[in-house]
Amino acid sequence: MSGGKRLKKVRVIPLNLFSDDTSGNTSKKWNKFDSWSMVPAALPLAERNKRENTFLLCVHNRLSAIDMLADIVDDL
């Protein structure tokens, strides 16, 4: 390596972001949580559906999914 610089490989991959509202109650009226998760979109479907390839980004019980989105975009 010239000049003693260490280079690192960068890989750009597409991501699927998914939002869902969950609740501990069947009516979804009480104990409601909005969540965002992320899955690498370049994986084959069988790999994408595995639990170990799904990454939980955030969960909140007072903010809506749209309210959380700005912070997610800033972090990505």
Side-chain angles (χ1 to χ4, degrees):
M1 292 185 206
S2 62
K5 292 183 181 178
R6 293 185 152 214
L7 303 176
K8 295 187 179 191
K9 290 183 181 181
V10 175
R11 294 196 174 132
V12 178
I13 61 168
L15 300 171
N16 287 337
L17 296 175
F18 177 75
S19 174
D20 191 21
D21 59 335
T22 57
S23 174
N25 191 325
T26 55
S27 70
K28 293 199 175 200
K29 184 176 178 181
W30 310 107
N31 199 24
K32 182 181 172 224
F33 287 86
D34 282 311
S35 64
W36 280 95
S37 58
M38 172 179 72
V39 178
L43 293 175
L45 185 59
E47 291 295 315
R48 251 185 293 168
N49 289 335
K50 289 184 179 177
R51 186 180 300 227
E52 59 264 20
N53 292 323
T54 300
F55 304 96
L56 183 65
L57 297 177
C58 61
V59 177
H60 207 286
N61 65 337
R62 293 193 179 128
L63 292 176
S64 70
I66 297 298
D67 294 333
M68 292 185 275
L69 191 56
D71 292 327
I72 293 171
V73 170
D74 290 343
D75 285 346
L76 291 177

